[in-house]
């Protein structure tokens, strides 16, 4: 049984879509596969997530499930 985590990319990512992903710094609609089980995920760079979380305060916390932070989102 494979115990490694594998990133499963969307099937429709062409060069244009990858360029958009790199510009935005986030890759949506991916999954992490582990032992045949798939978990939805988002691949994000640390700069973008800080911008998204910027308006956080006690009454509006930031929550984003299944985020994988990487130094840079590129193809």
């Amino acid at each position: 049984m494979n115990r490694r985590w594998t990133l499963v990319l969307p099937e429709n990512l062409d060069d244009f879509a990858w360029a958009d992903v790199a510009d935005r710094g986030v890759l949506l609609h991916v999954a992490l596969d582990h032992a045949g089980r798939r978990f939805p995920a988002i691949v994000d760079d640390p700069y973008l997530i800080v911008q998204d979380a910027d308006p956080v305060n006690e009454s509006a916390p930031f929550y984003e499930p299944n985020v994988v932070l990487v130094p840079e989102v590129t193809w």
Side-chain angles (χ1 to χ4, degrees):
M1 180 182 290
N2 184 358
R3 301 242 180 236
R4 296 177 50 192
W5 288 90
T6 305
L7 182 64
V8 181
L9 300 173
E11 294 180 14
N12 60 347
L13 282 178
D14 57 14
D15 288 343
F16 180 77
W18 269 115
D20 187 47
V21 165
D23 287 344
R24 292 178 36 220
V26 63
L27 179 56
L28 304 171
H29 311 295
V30 300
L32 291 172
D33 184 285
H34 185 261
R37 292 184 62 202
R38 288 201 175 175
F39 304 89
I42 297 171
V43 178
D44 211 339
D45 74 29
Y47 304 104
L48 182 64
I49 203 156
V50 167
Q51 291 173 3
D52 290 343
D54 187 39
V56 169
N57 58 51
E58 288 183 26
S59 63
F62 176 79
Y63 172 74
E64 188 67 57
N66 302 340
V67 172
V68 178
L69 288 178
V70 295
E72 185 178 17
V73 180
T74 62
W75 80 86

